[in-house]
Structure formats: structure tokens, C-alpha cells
């Protein structure tokens, strides 16, 4: 390294961050302090009511929390159980949080719950991370519960990732079957709305869960969530309208708080990269665009060249005709034209129809069938899902090197 580049690094490290004051407040894994949790009072109230009797040593209800991604399910469940734990006076409440996407087998989950609740100095029970059988882990969990707690609140996040119903079955019947005197309340969280309906009848009847549905946030709620993280940035750095726009864009998509926070954070990063002294609405739009690109890149970046060409045929038709859907015959013509330009052997029309179905399955395209009357049979129409950004999908569909020389305004695909 020469001296000069050493100086550049030292210069950057030596100066305070011009944009962020406390960047961690908008980090992905940041857990906000209670006073920064806003817009979920009804849900916090509802969950607290279901757990209320635990404070007096009674049995908490079992609860299933549903809702789309980023609606505060994990946050609220952790927050409320923590408050319950800290407010109980004569009752010993223990809480354990596990994420079933990490602990997807029953044995792993029980082992993890037992470790979370254990205090080996007091119980003398050791819970190794692995190596014991499921039933031994259960026995240790029950003796920990008996030894240390009157009530245990067990949060199973992403509960639908558990391989089967065994864990729910055992936890919900643990007292009734005489395994422990501790009153166990389960809070199961899922973003699959039908998940609990499909549980086996015996589990349902012993769990008897109360259901709480977390709705997506509206723009106002997202706005106050972001306002409460404003101090991530230095004073005066956020231009007027930046928080409002970030909230509005996220509300337009899914009402996902994680996405809203991400947009604001990335807008700040973009401003930083561009050496801008303030974060502007333009940075917000740029950040949203980058996020959309990443999302589509994950979704379609790895598709085969055949499927990408099919998608590129649809997006090129959109761009060139301005229409919003096309019969698969027209898509096929565009596809074969594109194949010719990039030197890829075209597949049959039937295969391309399968590609279209697959892209619809991935929620990239919208496809619908139309009956063409007595003699005509069925025609499938497809187009990009209206919520998607045409330019972004088009750009990612055409990322393969083979598209490098294609001028999409000149290559006529529709004839
Ligand atoms: N009401 C809120 N106030 C402040 N921050 C919030 C609020 N709701 C969500 N957040 C923040 O948004 C992010 C997503 O929230 P959370 O993880 O609770 O969502 P989730 O519903 O569990 O989503 P998923 O289904 O994807 O697990 C977190 O960083 C969280 O801190
Ligand atoms: Mg969650």
C-alpha cells in the first residue's frame, strides 16, 4: 500500500460520520426500546390480556399470532412477554423465545427451550446442546420448569417451520399429563394464515389457541415508526419529506416495517456514498429501487436462460406496445425472435407456456385463461404483475451476458 491510500483511509476513519449519528437504530437486527414501539397498541393490549392471568400465577392462554412479514409480530411477542416477566412479583415467570426456522426439529426445539430457561447453578441440571434423546430433553425441561418457575411463556416464532405437531402437543398437555406443575403458555407466530387451522385435531383441542391477527401497517403508522428512529441520523440531515416518502413507498408495497426502515437506512447510505450533506427524496427513491432490484435478483436472477428469455419477451412486449397482457402465442413469437438475436435454441410453444406458468407461480407474471367460444379452445394471457416495476424486471431478465448486445428499443419482437 502506498502512503497516499493509507491517508485516504485514515481521513475517512478520522472524521465523524456525516450522515448517521447512531446508525445501529436502523440496523436490520436492531431491537427497539419499548418507547420506540409505536402503532401496535391494540395488539400489545390484546396479547397482554391473554397473558394477564400469568402475573397472578394462573394459566396464560395459548396464543397464535398471524400476520404478513414485517408487521411487528416477533417484536410485540418478545416485548409483552418480557414485561410480564418483569412485572410479576410473587410469581416466578420464565420466558423462552425460539425461532423454529433455526430449530426445526422437535428435539432441537426442546433442547433450546430447556437451555434458555435453565439456570444450572440453581437446578443442577445440565442441558447439552445435542446428544440426548428427545425424551431425555423433555425430562430435563420439566425438571427445570418445576424447580424454577410457576409459569413459563414459550414463544415459538415461525412456528410453521416445525417439522410436525409434536412440540405443540407436548407443551400444551404438559400440565394435564402430570409432567410438570408449571403452567405453560405457548405463543406461536406464523405468517401463514391457515397454519393453525391445519393442525391435527388433538393438538387443536389441547392448545385451544386465541388468535391474534396483525394487520399490515398503513403509511401513518410506518411514518411514526420511522419518526421514532429519526435520531439514527445527525440533526438536520434528513430533508423534509424523506420520512414521509419512505413510509409511503413501504405502505404501497406491503405495509412492512422492516422494509420501511431499510429504505430509510439505505437512503442514508446512498447519500453517504454520493458525499451528499443531506438525505433527499431522490436518495429514498434510489434506495427503494435498489431494494426492488435485490428482491427481483433473488427471485429471477437464478432462472435458466430459457425462462429469462420468456420473461424478457413479456417485458419487451410491454415496453414496445404499452399493453398490459398478451396471449401466449404473441409471447412465443417475441420469445423466438429474442432467441434468434441472442443465439439460443428456442423451445416449443408448449414448453414456453410452462415457463409462463412457472413465472406466474413465482408471482412475477399474472396469467389468466380465457375461453374462446365453442371452436376456439382456451387462450392463456399473461403480463407482468401490475405491482412490479417494469424497468427493474426487464433489466434483471436481461442481465445474462447473451443479452449484452440486444438493443431492446430496436429489436422488434412482436412480428
Ligand atoms: N410497531 C413497531 N414499532 C417500531 N418498530 C417496529 C414496529 N413493528 C416492527 N418494527 C421493526 O420492524 C422490523 C420487523 O418487525 P418484526 O420482526 O417484529 O416483524 P414480523 O411480523 O415478526 O415479521 P416476519 O413475519 O418477517 O418475521 C423489526 O426491525 C422491528 O424492530
Ligand atoms: Mg418475525
Amino acid at each position: 500500500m502506498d502512503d497516499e491510500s493509507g491517508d485516504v483511509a485514515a481521513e475517512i476513519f478520522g472524521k465523524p460520520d456525516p450522515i448517521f449519528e447512531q446508525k445501529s437504530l436502523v440496523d436490520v437486527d436492531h431491537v427497539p426500546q419499548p418507547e420506540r414501539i409505536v402503532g401496535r397498541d391494540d395488539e400489545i393490549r390484546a396479547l397482554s390480556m391473554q397473558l394477564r392471568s400469568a402475573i397472578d400465577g394462573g394459566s396464560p392462554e395459548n396464543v397464535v399470532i398471524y400476520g404478513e412479514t414485517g408487521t411487528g409480530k416477533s417484536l410485540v411477542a418478545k416485548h409483552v412477554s418480557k414485561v410480564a416477566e418483569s412485572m410479576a412479583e410473587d410469581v416466578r415467570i420464565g420466558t423462552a423465545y425460539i425461532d423454529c426456522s433455526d430449530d426445526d426439529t422437535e428435539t432441537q426445539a426442546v433442547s433450546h427451550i430447556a437451555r434458555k430457561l435453565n439456570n444450572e447453578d440453581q437446578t443442577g441440571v445440565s442441558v447439552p446442546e445435542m446428544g440426548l434423546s428427545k425424551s431425555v430433553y423433555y425430562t430435563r425441561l420439566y425438571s427445570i420448569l418445576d424447580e424454577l418457575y410457576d409459569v413459563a411463556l414459550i414463544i415459538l416464532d415461525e412456528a410453521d417451520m416445525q417439522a410436525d405437531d409434536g412440540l405443540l402437543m407436548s407443551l400444551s398437555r404438559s400440565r394435564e399429563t402430570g409432567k410438570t406443575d408449571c403452567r405453560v403458555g405457548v405463543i406461536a407466530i406464523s405468517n401463514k394464515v391457515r397454519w393453525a387451522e391445519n393442525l391435527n385435531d388433538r393438538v387443536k383441542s389441547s392448545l385451544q389457541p386465541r388468535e391474534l391477527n396483525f394487520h399490515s401497517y398503513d403509511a401513518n403508522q410506518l411514518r411514526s415508526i420511522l419518526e421514532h428512529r429519526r435520531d439514527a441520523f445527525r440533526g438536520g440531515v434528513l430533508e423534509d419529506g424523506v420520512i414521509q416518502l419512505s413510509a409511503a413507498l413501504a405502505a404501497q408495497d406491503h405495509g412492512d416495517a422492516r422494509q420501511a426502515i431499510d429504505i430509510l437506512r439505505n437512503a442514508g447510505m446512498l447519500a453517504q456514498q454520493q458525499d451528499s450533506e443531506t438525505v433527499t427524496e431522490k436518495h429514498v427513491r434510489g434506495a427503494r429501487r435498489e431494494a426492488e432490484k435485490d428482491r427481483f435478483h433473488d427471485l429471477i436472477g437464478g432462472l435458466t436462460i430459457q425462462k429469462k428469455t420468456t420473461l424478457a419477451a413479456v417485458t419487451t412486449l410491454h415496453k414496445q406496445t404499452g399493453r398490459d397482457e398478451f396471449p401466449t402465442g404473441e409471447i412465443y413469437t417475441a420469445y423466438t425472435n429474442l432467441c434468434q438475436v441472442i443465439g439460443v435454441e428456442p423451445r416449443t410453444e408448449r414448453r414456453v407456456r410452462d415457463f409462463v406458468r412457472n413465472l406466474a407461480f413465482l408471482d412475477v407474471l399474472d396469467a389468466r385463461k380465457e375461453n374462446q367460444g365453442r371452436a376456439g379452445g382456451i387462450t392463456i394471457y399473461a403480463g407482468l404483475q401490475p405491482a412490479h416495476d417494469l424497468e427493474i424486471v426487464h433489466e434483471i431478465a436481461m442481465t445474462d451476458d447473451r443479452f449484452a448486445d440486444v438493443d431492446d428499443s430496436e429489436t422488434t419482437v412482436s412480428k
Side-chain angles (χ1 to χ4, degrees), residues 24 149 160 214 216 269-270 274 286 295 303 312 337:
S24 62
Y149 305 107
D160 50 275
F214 280 38
S216 299
M269 305 269 292
L270 208 58
Q274 297 173 0
R295 198 161 71 81
L303 296 179
N337 285 335

Side-chain angles (χ1 to χ4, degrees), residues 28 30 32 36-40 67-76 157-158 191 217 225 229 257-258 261:
V28 195
H30 174 76
R36 293 184 200 266
I37 305 178
V38 283
R40 281 283 96 134
E68 297 276 331
T69 186
T71 51
K73 302 182 297 297
S74 303
L75 177 64
V76 166
D157 208 346
E158 316 280 344
N191 42 29
Y217 291 110
I225 290 172
R229 313 265 180 121
R258 189 179 293 114
I261 296 168

Side-chain angles (χ1 to χ4, degrees), residues 344-409:
V344 162
E345 186 70 28
R347 298 288 160 85
T348 62
E349 184 161 350
R350 219 174 115 189
R351 272 308 274 151
V352 170
R353 234 177 288 145
D354 286 341
F355 298 155
V356 167
R357 273 196 210 102
N358 184 260
L359 290 163
F361 175 76
L362 292 175
D363 277 341
V364 180
L365 295 184
D366 253 343
R368 69 176 179 91
K369 286 180 190 165
E370 189 168 290
N371 225 321
Q372 298 294 315
R374 259 180 290 155
I378 288 169
T379 304
I380 300 172
Y381 289 84
L384 194 62
Q385 290 223 350
H388 298 338
D389 185 319
L390 173 62
E391 292 300 329
I392 291 176
V393 178
H394 182 70
E395 190 181 316
I396 293 172
M398 312 242 322
T399 43
D400 196 278
D401 285 348
R402 280 166 275 200
F403 286 110
D405 300 327
V406 179
D407 179 343
D408 47 35
S409 57

Side-chain angles (χ1 to χ4, degrees), residues 55 79-89 91 93-95 153:
I55 306 285
H79 166 68
V80 171
S81 58
K82 214 178 276 169
V83 175
E85 187 178 359
S86 67
M87 298 242 332
E89 286 178 351
V91 175
I93 298 186
T95 60
L153 299 175

Side-chain angles (χ1 to χ4, degrees), residues 277-288:
E277 284 172 5
T278 57
V279 182
T280 65
E281 292 191 6
K282 210 168 144 211
H283 294 129
V284 174
R285 292 190 191 283
R288 159 60 157 10

